Amino acid sequence: MTFTHFALTAALAVTGLAAADQTPPIFTDITKPSGITFRHSYGDHHLDNIVEGTGGGACFLDYDNDGFQDIYFVSGVWTQSVSDNEGRDLRGKLSGKLFKNDGNGAFTDVTETAGVGSKIFGSGCSAADYDNDGFVDLYLLNYGANTLYHNNGDGTFTDVSAKSGLADPRWSVSAVWLDYNNDGFLDVYVCNYLRYDDGQFRDFYPAQGYPGPLSYEGEPDGLYRNNGDGTFTDVTKDTGVYQANGRGMSVTAADFNNDGAMDIFVANDAMENHYFENTGKGTFVEKGLDVGLAYSEHGQGASSMGPYFSDVNRDGWLDVFVPNLNYNSLFVYNPKRKAYDNVNDAAGISLAMGQYAGWGSVLFDYDHDGWPDIFVVHGNAHHEYVQEDSLLRNKGNGTFEDVSQKSGAYFGEKYVGRGAAWADIDNDGDIDLLVVNLNDNAKLLRNDGGNRQPWLTVDARLKFPTGSRTAIGARVTVTTGTLKQIDDVNPVRGYLSQGDRRVHFGLAGADHATVEIRWPDGKVERLENVKANQILTVEHPAVAKVAR
């Protein structure tokens, strides 16, 4: 494997080395002092099937528009066709939880007052303002009918699942929002997993714990068009994204081929991944095998988990990182081949994390040297066997180094990890981490020291006559000297989870930057001499077409 397209300029190499010489940031476990009391449950006392073992995620959302990121956690609940009879004492005692960020380092459980204590077995969640009223709504992906909560704008939500058309009864685990037809309303792609048989299949090795994904039929995913009137229409087949058999673990969307339209990437379990390229005409074409995203580095259909996109080599093309149960996959785009090279081995990631089972991931510049680093959550798939999580620093030369043991006491602890999310919870300029552990307490990790280096956060928003919402699909480019960084606005990345809606950049020591935003309508806005160390909010006027 060659890395000519992964090379550094000499100037950037010096910058990276300078950053490395400084005291690295430390991640501090602030779960208890922050008031986060959530403990995930799979709705039973013993782990004995794939529904329970899939785990849960969390999402960051600013539901009250106070500028601070709040947290919603999904949870399993005792369910007739999933849970054992001995777990019946848990009936009615478990639900999803919403924690309000008080802005002073503390969070308050507001689940009951907000009306979002779902008692359906939850796997994942995402949040978006689907009606352009200026308030973010909440979508829960369940084993059972999905739940759409409409934000009333007064701190409460209303369940509109049935009338919206989004109460998909299949086992959904992840959902990504995108305006695929450019009408101003956000559509949603729902990632479905498999068809569980209520425990009827019993032909498996006892040491395995319970049957794996190939013991069940896969489910097709769904793409739902936003009609602009509070309802959605299933357009899966009409748009070309229908796949009769899929075992989706999580989904994300971004402009992977740099044509201005959001494409969709689905990480599948025990089979090939799917990459749907947007034609710009309201349809998609599946090209996973053509561009090298279908399989892992060694050709097998790996157990792919939570996909995360980022430009890891700063060449202006988005790359994709996918944890799985056997190593990982780092797909780096090669413009010469117009396809992806899987560089997991050569980048040193296999050596650092080959012994773990990966689930959630976050790619973020934790030390603000201008290069995205990798955080991965680990845990056994079929048993509650604990593993430690990993943090790998991007050295800027095509390789990563394991800095876990230098990054705080948390990285010496072991859990059965599943979901992971990210946000600047205290608006201090560095990214903090959230981990959801299977049948255990969630962990909130504060980044202490990342903001010693300059940074810039961009909150790109679309202004409608009815309200302002996140400009999902916008591309933000930040330039400092010869270093050019790109990111697409889409907080749905990783495993079953969603992070901060705002895009974040480390500035590698620079105190000013040039910011360019390509808005979803194709117009480009350029801001010169933008000062570092600020949350820059930029609004762009937008118009939503009338309901169909």
Side-chain angles (χ1 to χ4, degrees):
M1 179 65 64
T2 61
F3 284 88
T4 55
H5 64 289
F6 211 139
L8 265 176
T9 63
L12 292 183
V14 171
T15 301
L17 289 172
D21 289 340
Q22 298 189 5
T23 303
I26 297 295
F27 287 87
T28 303
D29 183 349
I30 60 167
T31 312
K32 288 185 178 180
S34 71
I36 298 295
T37 57
F38 176 78
R39 180 182 176 90
H40 176 268
S41 174
Y42 45 67
D44 207 344
H45 295 306
H46 300 288
L47 179 64
D48 57 12
N49 63 65
I50 198 167
V51 179
E52 296 175 349
T54 297
C59 57
F60 281 101
L61 70 162
D62 183 5
Y63 82 97
D64 54 357
N65 289 345
D66 67 352
F68 289 92
Q69 296 296 300
D70 313 299
I71 305 173
Y72 189 87
F73 295 97
V74 299
S75 180
V77 300
W78 191 91
T79 303
Q80 181 72 45
S81 59
V82 174
S83 311
D84 290 337
N85 287 334
E86 65 182 49
R88 285 180 297 179
D89 61 313
L90 297 175
R91 286 184 298 182
K93 298 180 180 179
L94 302 169
S95 75
K97 295 289 185 180
L98 175 63
F99 286 83
K100 181 186 183 304
N101 188 333
D102 297 326
N104 58 2
F107 288 78
T108 300
D109 186 343
V110 294
T111 309
E112 185 174 349
T113 56
V116 291
S118 172
K119 295 186 181 299
I120 303 175
F121 197 112
S123 293
C125 56
S126 67
D129 181 4
Y130 73 86
D131 55 355
N132 298 336
D133 68 350
F135 293 92
V136 67
D137 309 296
L138 179 62
Y139 191 35
L140 307 184
L141 295 315
N142 301 323
Y143 181 81
N146 295 336
T147 306
L148 179 64
Y149 286 115
H150 176 261
N151 191 332
N152 300 319
D154 60 0
T156 68
F157 292 77
T158 299
D159 186 341
V160 296
S161 311
K163 69 178 183 180
S164 72
L166 290 184
D168 193 325
R170 296 169 293 188
W171 181 11
S172 304
V173 294
S174 175
V176 67
W177 299 84
L178 70 159
D179 185 4
Y180 82 93
N181 55 357
N182 293 319
D183 66 352
F185 291 99
L186 290 173
D187 316 295
V188 62
Y189 183 101
V190 178
C191 177
N192 296 315
Y193 191 19
L194 48 78
R195 194 174 306 165
Y196 183 60
D197 64 358
D198 299 346
Q200 297 177 26
F201 184 86
R202 306 303 300 169
D203 186 15
F204 66 98
Y205 294 106
Q208 189 180 2
Y210 52 79
L214 291 178
S215 302
Y216 309 99
E217 294 182 32
E219 289 275 27
D221 296 341
L223 177 60
Y224 297 87
R225 185 189 67 207
N226 189 333
N227 299 319
D229 59 359
T231 67
F232 292 77
T233 299
D234 187 338
V235 293
T236 311
K237 293 184 177 179
D238 296 339
T239 54
V241 299
Y242 179 77
Q243 297 286 327
N245 184 47
R247 295 182 179 86
M249 288 261 71
S250 283
V251 60
T252 191
D255 180 11
F256 292 108
N257 62 346
N258 285 356
D259 67 351
M262 293 185 79
D263 313 296
I264 300 170
F265 179 81
V266 183
N268 288 311
D269 194 3
M271 59 177 288
E272 74 274 12
N273 301 319
H274 291 140
Y275 165 67
F276 299 104
E277 195 165 274
N278 194 327
T279 66
K281 302 176 182 179
T283 59
F284 295 81
V285 178
E286 206 289 310
K287 293 187 175 181
L289 188 60
D290 297 340
V291 302
L293 288 173
Y295 296 100
S296 72
E297 183 161 14
H298 304 292
Q300 74 270 31
S303 299
S304 299
M305 298 302 171
Y308 203 107
F309 66 82
S310 179
D311 181 9
V312 299
N313 58 347
R314 297 308 189 202
D315 67 347
W317 295 86
L318 291 175
D319 313 301
V320 186
F321 179 75
V322 185
N324 59 57
L325 302 185
N326 299 288
Y327 300 100
N328 304 276
S329 291
L330 177 58
F331 298 103
V332 173
Y333 188 75
N334 186 336
K336 293 181 179 179
R337 297 198 311 112
K338 296 183 179 180
Y340 291 83
D341 295 329
N342 195 328
V343 301
N344 195 68
D345 289 356
I349 298 173
S350 294
L351 181 62
M353 293 191 291
Q355 70 270 36
Y356 300 121
W359 298 83
S361 65
V362 179
L363 271 63
F364 70 123
D365 186 0
Y366 88 105
D367 57 357
H368 291 175
D369 66 352
W371 298 87
D373 312 296
I374 300 176
F375 171 74
V376 183
V377 172
H378 301 123
N380 188 273
H382 290 253
H383 301 276
E384 293 183 67
Y385 298 159
V386 296
Q387 297 177 351
E388 60 266 40
D389 299 336
S390 295
L391 179 63
L392 273 61
R393 180 178 177 271
N394 189 335
K395 297 170 68 175
N397 61 359
T399 66
F400 291 78
E401 62 175 328
D402 190 342
V403 295
S404 307
Q405 297 306 309
K406 305 176 183 177
S407 301
Y410 170 81
F411 290 94
E413 301 173 8
K414 297 184 179 183
Y415 302 94
V416 187
R418 290 298 188 262
W422 75 101
D424 183 357
I425 60 170
D426 45 13
N427 290 338
D428 69 347
D430 49 28
I431 297 297
D432 312 295
L433 298 170
L434 178 68
V435 179
V436 180
N437 295 307
L438 187 73
N439 200 38
D440 205 342
N441 295 317
K443 294 293 180 178
L444 183 61
L445 308 175
R446 187 183 63 210
N447 185 333
D448 290 332
N451 58 7
R452 284 193 293 263
Q453 288 276 14
W455 55 274
L456 181 66
T457 296
V458 180
D459 188 5
R461 305 187 63 79
L462 294 177
K463 179 66 176 178
F464 293 90
T466 51
S468 171
R469 68 160 171 84
T470 299
I472 291 176
R475 168 158 293 184
V476 180
T477 303
V478 170
T479 304
T480 51
T482 57
L483 178 63
K484 180 178 289 189
Q485 306 179 54
I486 68 168
D487 201 5
D488 282 6
V489 178
N490 174 17
V492 179
R493 316 181 201 185
Y495 186 64
L496 312 181
S497 301
Q498 171 173 318
D500 202 323
R501 74 187 187 210
R502 307 166 295 187
V503 289
H504 175 265
F505 302 88
L507 299 186
D511 58 6
H512 288 78
T514 298
V515 178
E516 185 175 282
I517 303 176
R518 186 194 67 200
W519 297 99
D521 61 9
K523 294 180 181 179
V524 177
E525 184 171 356
R526 186 179 178 90
L527 305 173
E528 302 281 359
N529 205 33
V530 176
K531 290 183 179 180
N533 302 330
Q534 65 165 311
I535 298 174
L536 177 69
T537 300
V538 186
E539 282 193 338
H540 180 71
V543 177
K545 299 178 182 178
V546 296
R548 288 168 289 266

